[in-house]
Amino acid sequence: MSRARQPPLVTGISPNEGISWTKVTIRGENLGTGPTDLIGLTICGHNCLLTAEWMSASKIVCRVGQAKNDKGDIIVTTKSGGRGTSTVSFKLLKPEKIGILDQSAVWVDEMNYYDMRTDRNKGIPPLSLRPANPLGIEIDNFDQLKMAIVNLKKQANKKNEGSLAYVKGGLSTFFEAQDALSGASNTADTLFQEVLGRKDKADSTRNALNVLQRFKFLFNLPLNIERNIQKGDYDVVINDYEKAKSLFGKTEVQVFKKYYAEVETRIEALRELLLDKLLETPSTLHDQKRYIRYLSDLHAPGDPAWQCIGAQHQWILQLMHNCKESYVKEQKGTSLLHCSMLDLDSDVRPSPIGHLSQTASLKRGSSFQSGRSDAWRYKAPQQVVFVEKLTKLVVSQLPNFWKLWISYVNGSLFSETAEKSGQMEKSKKNARQRQNDFKKMIQEVMHSLEKLIRGALLPFSLKEGESRLYGGWEMKSELSGQWLTHVIQTVRLSSESLTALEIPNDMLQIIQDLILDLRVRCIIVTLQHTAEDIKRLAEKEDWVVDNEGLTSLPSHFEQCIVHSLQSLKTVLDCKPGEASVSFDLYSNFLLFLLSVDVSSPDLFGSIHEDSSLTSEQRVLIALSNCRYLERHTFLNIAEHFEKHGFQGVDKITQVSVESLKELDQRLFEMYIESKADPIVGSLEPGIYAGYFDWKDCLVPAGVRNYLKEALVNIIAVHAEVFTISKDLVPRVMSRIVEAVSEELSRLMQCVSSFSKNGALQVAEYFVLRKTQPPFFIVCDSILILSWENK
């Protein structure tokens, strides 16, 4: 389906004032595709379609009719574009009326003619209206015709005979008449001399007025050019100049050459003015096209369109660097105080892009910003706000820059006049030759955008010579993964907007490389910050246990990992044209896990001084947390890994569990050592207290104190473990009893022989056998050894 044409627009009329039936030339845009497409033309409210002559889509010639208004618009209506508009107006002048007694500069010749309607001759005396009948009779038949011939002969003979006598007889009268006529002639000359002189003067004046009227266009043209330039009616100036050039461009008349030279001086000044306006920044794409068309119609030297493209390119680069300098100064406190209050929704220049152009149809506001008020700008780092502003600047300016180049390539910048003069073909040829130069311009803009962002966020990726030009930021601390994620989303949206302009992908590849480096850096920073957060989890440990013997530490650990995964999900998702990012998830996840070494002194040192827990109780809590991590937390984390599309979840879980088991075993051995060693160490001194000898001892009177003390200590361990976690009781108590049993077995094996009383004393171990089931093995061995020795 073809695109609808734009409505007609009248931009000029020449002349712009006159009386009725004045011939005018109308110029503008979209004035129809042909004579049949023109269906309406009104000037000052009067229909002039009958006298209209369609010349082209930008030119119509017609005559002004009896208008209703003294001044009004020129409205053109076409089938293809509908009713149009006008930026100029026409002033209708009323002709002056001349009365019959008023003097006139026009001499009207008197003519004699015969009025057939009134049967009267105008300007002929009444006596000579009709000649006398030479035949003397009315002719009805042939006989009467014969008689008429006879009469004519008689009259002729009579006239010949009497003429001589008549002359002789009236000779004196003839001379008198001649004298009278001569006097009358002199009197008439005297009487009409003034009238004749006025006629000659009127003729000369009329001839002079005709010359002035014919050439007053040229004589008034310099002044009219000045006036129209001041009013901004450049179309009128161009039309008048084309007309003067065609009429007087090759004249040899000196006065005309003088005035035409003055016109050329004014036009040259206009060319300079239009070129200055064209290269002036900021300016809209519409104004740029308009000024290029004017300069083309004025046959300006050089290539104004390419000059405009070059000026816009330099202006965009300067805007980008100025943006960086202003934010760097603001960061250092030498410029505006409200550095983070920059309004990112305001366009860099007054109009067009609407941006970008809304242009290029940019959808500002990522998921990172959704649901957040503008207050985030007050908290955002300067580098983040700078990237927001810089990308918006490029996205708002580059579309017009690109469209200007496209118009330059296809020749749509030029008017019909330039097309007829061959200037459009010349421009297209120049555009083909300058494609590589324009490609370098786009690449330079992309290069500056990429380097400026690197200087703000990845200064270590710049070369030594580039840091001064693109860097200069005070990097007190590196941006967090959250802000880097926001920056990545911003750069991605900018890349999508630039891609929508149909800019070749090879020109945008540098932006894709930047996005890749930002993603990698975001991943590294996110993992580092996550590891640091995990290390700081000990600071959040309050050692308050629930019914299962757990603290909030496993929950905090899980939340930290899940938050990290959510942050990385956005970064790891590949947009069209982006490269995938691969990294060793297993080693990084292991780094997270190994960062939580709850057996480290630093962790215990972070406990509040008023805490009533002992170090052994905290180890039990850590063991309970490890047990929960293994059975629940890691499984939950594995589900989150699968939910976010990570691969190798089983491997991650396996490595994590193995590491956790190592940590658990180290903590368990620490606790057993702290509890079993005092009990085991008290057995041998207790047995041989008071120089007790198995070979020479009294009759046993009951269980000795060392054994009671051991039982009490074992019960205390059981109570402590049971208070923290019931699930840890079997595991801990079995190791404690095993350690005591091994020590008793060793001590009994060291006894060389038992007396009868000594053997009976060994029976006290049955107490242990009944108290703890694992002790029956030790007790039975002791009894067997004692009887064998006896």
Side-chain angles (χ1 to χ4, degrees), residues 380-431:
Q382 277 293 87
Q383 293 92 324
V384 175
V385 183
F386 162 70
V387 173
E388 279 277 347
K389 187 68 175 181
L390 179 67
T391 54
K392 186 168 186 177
L393 185 152
V394 174
V395 170
S396 64
Q397 300 301 325
L398 203 59
N400 279 355
F401 183 60
W402 180 262
K403 291 176 183 177
L404 180 63
W405 164 255
I406 296 300
S407 301
Y408 179 61
V409 171
N410 58 30
S412 60
L413 291 174
F414 305 98
S415 63
E416 182 183 1
T417 303
E419 183 177 1
K420 292 180 179 179
S421 64
Q423 194 167 356
M424 183 180 296
E425 291 299 325
K426 180 181 178 181
S427 174
K428 290 182 179 179
K429 182 179 179 181
N430 293 338

Side-chain angles (χ1 to χ4, degrees), residues 727-744:
D727 295 336
L728 291 176
V729 171
R731 182 184 179 190
V732 173
M733 295 310 298
S734 61
R735 283 295 304 275
I736 295 293
V737 173
E738 181 182 355
V740 174
S741 301
E742 289 178 355
E743 179 63 16
L744 289 175

Side-chain angles (χ1 to χ4, degrees), residues 223-269:
L223 181 59
N224 290 336
I225 289 177
E226 290 289 345
R227 292 175 178 175
N228 290 325
I229 289 177
Q230 293 178 0
K231 293 188 295 183
D233 294 338
Y234 303 123
D235 290 295
V236 177
V237 175
I238 293 173
N239 292 337
D240 293 344
Y241 173 65
E242 289 292 336
K243 180 179 178 181
K245 186 176 181 180
S246 62
L247 294 176
F248 307 103
K250 298 180 180 179
T251 183
E252 296 297 332
V253 181
Q254 292 299 322
V255 64
F256 293 163
K257 291 177 68 175
K258 177 181 179 181
Y259 275 90
Y260 183 74
E262 189 68 21
V263 170
E264 285 290 355
T265 302
R266 299 290 195 281
I267 293 299
E268 182 61 29

Side-chain angles (χ1 to χ4, degrees), residues 230-434:
Q230 293 178 0
K231 293 188 295 183
D233 294 338
Y234 303 123
D235 290 295
V236 177
V237 175
I238 293 173
N239 292 337
D240 293 344
Y241 173 65
E242 289 292 336
K243 180 179 178 181
K245 186 176 181 180
S246 62
L247 294 176
F248 307 103
K250 298 180 180 179
T251 183
E252 296 297 332
V253 181
Q254 292 299 322
V255 64
F256 293 163
K257 291 177 68 175
K258 177 181 179 181
Y259 275 90
Y260 183 74
E262 189 68 21
V263 170
E264 285 290 355
T265 302
R266 299 290 195 281
I267 293 299
E268 182 61 29
L270 177 59
R271 292 192 187 104
E272 296 177 359
L273 174 64
L274 292 176
L275 184 60
D276 292 339
K277 288 183 174 292
L278 175 63
L279 302 182
E280 181 181 322
T281 54
S283 62
T284 64
L285 180 62
H286 178 268
D287 289 340
Q288 292 169 1
K289 289 183 176 181
R290 188 160 58 95
Y291 293 139
I292 291 173
R293 188 181 75 245
Y294 291 153
L295 289 170
S296 173
D297 292 343
L298 291 174
H299 308 286
D303 193 346
W306 180 251
Q307 289 179 272
C308 180
I309 291 175
Q312 289 297 312
H313 168 247
Q314 294 298 327
W315 184 65
I316 293 175
L317 293 178
Q318 189 62 41
L319 277 181
M320 296 169 66
H321 285 280
N322 290 345
C323 181
K324 189 266 294 186
E325 292 297 333
S326 64
Y327 275 92
V328 170
K329 291 180 180 179
E330 289 173 3
Q331 185 190 46
K332 295 179 179 179
T334 58
S335 183
L336 299 178
L337 295 178
H338 304 289
C339 56
S340 298
M341 296 176 61
L342 183 63
D343 185 6
L344 296 178
D345 297 328
S346 62
D347 272 333
V348 176
R349 64 186 194 181
S351 82
I353 264 222
H355 152 125
L356 191 74
S357 246
Q358 280 109 0
T359 161
S361 57
L362 181 73
K363 296 181 179 178
R364 272 291 164 204
S366 63
S367 59
F368 184 80
Q369 288 181 250
S370 60
R372 193 208 318 257
S373 65
D374 289 343
W376 75 273
R377 295 190 183 97
Y378 293 89
K379 301 178 182 179
Q382 277 293 87
Q383 293 92 324
V384 175
V385 183
F386 162 70
V387 173
E388 279 277 347
K389 187 68 175 181
L390 179 67
T391 54
K392 186 168 186 177
L393 185 152
V394 174
V395 170
S396 64
Q397 300 301 325
L398 203 59
N400 279 355
F401 183 60
W402 180 262
K403 291 176 183 177
L404 180 63
W405 164 255
I406 296 300
S407 301
Y408 179 61
V409 171
N410 58 30
S412 60
L413 291 174
F414 305 98
S415 63
E416 182 183 1
T417 303
E419 183 177 1
K420 292 180 179 179
S421 64
Q423 194 167 356
M424 183 180 296
E425 291 299 325
K426 180 181 178 181
S427 174
K428 290 182 179 179
K429 182 179 179 181
N430 293 338
R432 289 191 295 267
Q433 295 175 351
R434 290 166 173 162

Side-chain angles (χ1 to χ4, degrees), residues 110-125:
E110 297 178 354
M111 297 183 299
N112 296 330
Y113 61 93
Y114 183 78
D115 192 344
M116 297 298 295
R117 295 172 296 174
T118 60
D119 196 29
R120 293 173 58 189
N121 249 359
K122 294 184 178 181
I124 302 178

Side-chain angles (χ1 to χ4, degrees), residues 517-530:
D517 291 347
L518 287 173
R519 291 167 62 199
V520 172
R521 188 60 189 171
C522 181
I523 292 171
I524 295 174
V525 171
T526 301
L527 295 179
Q528 291 176 347
H529 288 182
T530 303

